[in-house]
Amino acid sequence: TLIDNNALHVLAWQRAFRRCGLHLDVPTILHKLGMGGDKFVADVLGSGTSDKAYTVQVAHSEEYSAKGLIDHAEPLPGAVALLRALKERGVRTALASSAKPEEADRSLAQLGGSASVDVLVSSADAAATKPDPDIFATALEKLGQPEQALVLGDTVYDIASARTLHLPCVCVLSGGIERAVLEDAGAAAIYQDAADVLRHLDAVLALLQRR
């Protein structure tokens, strides 16, 4: 949503599955992004393949982190400015990611460091990955259970997780998922990227929903 790494994850997953003898096309992988890696692999491989699933997940980590694809990730247009604007308005924020703690820490550093958000949540803080709502539920808990909240995301799994918690999900197109797909999944509003969200921040904050 804020870091330009979806295409990098697509490549990492494609290589990981290829290493295990499976060939997945780019659109298939792209539309699974946002789902927890454990659920994604299980969805592709089916039941009774836990050993192979573990191998694919390890391979993805190697392709993305150890081989350096992560080094090409960078903030998307307007991401840093959006967080700054929210802080100036007194809006408390949580960076809630299904990524590993070290990857979430890296993203936070690229977005301005710990001062840029109030709370950081990674996969280590949740029992289950998206589309289960644990990541966002933990973020709300760490924020002190605010009376109003919304989610900013870029995949259908962000929308599904938010809906479980009765929260609107504002989406951006910069992750590569088509507008129609996000609309059909129930996005509360759709913008081009974080910079576009910033340009329409009053309208976005008007969508804050009482919990």
Side-chain angles (χ1 to χ4, degrees), residues 1-14 29-30 33-34 60 63-65 68-77 79 95-100 102-108 110-111 130 154-155 158 172-176:
T1 304
L2 299 179
I3 299 292
D4 188 10
N5 62 0
N6 276 9
L8 300 173
H9 275 296
V10 168
L11 180 56
W13 280 118
Q14 193 171 42
I29 298 174
L30 177 63
L33 292 186
H60 170 267
E63 294 291 344
Y64 185 70
S65 297
L69 285 175
I70 191 174
D71 295 332
H72 298 279
E74 59 185 35
L76 284 158
L95 180 61
S97 171
S98 297
K100 296 177 180 179
E102 59 271 20
E103 294 176 10
D105 287 339
R106 183 187 181 105
S107 294
L108 181 58
Q110 291 180 304
L111 293 168
K130 290 182 287 185
D154 64 353
T155 73
D158 294 321
V172 290
L173 298 170
S174 46

Side-chain angles (χ1 to χ4, degrees), residues 4 33 55 67-68 73 90 94 128 146 176 182 197:
D4 188 10
L33 292 186
T55 300
K67 291 190 175 183
L182 297 173
V197 172

Side-chain angles (χ1 to χ4, degrees), residues 149-152 159 162-163 166-170 186-188 207-209:
L150 62 77
V151 170
L152 178 64
I159 298 170
R163 182 188 296 117
H166 307 290
L167 294 177
C169 184
V170 175
L207 295 171
L208 280 165
Q209 184 166 304

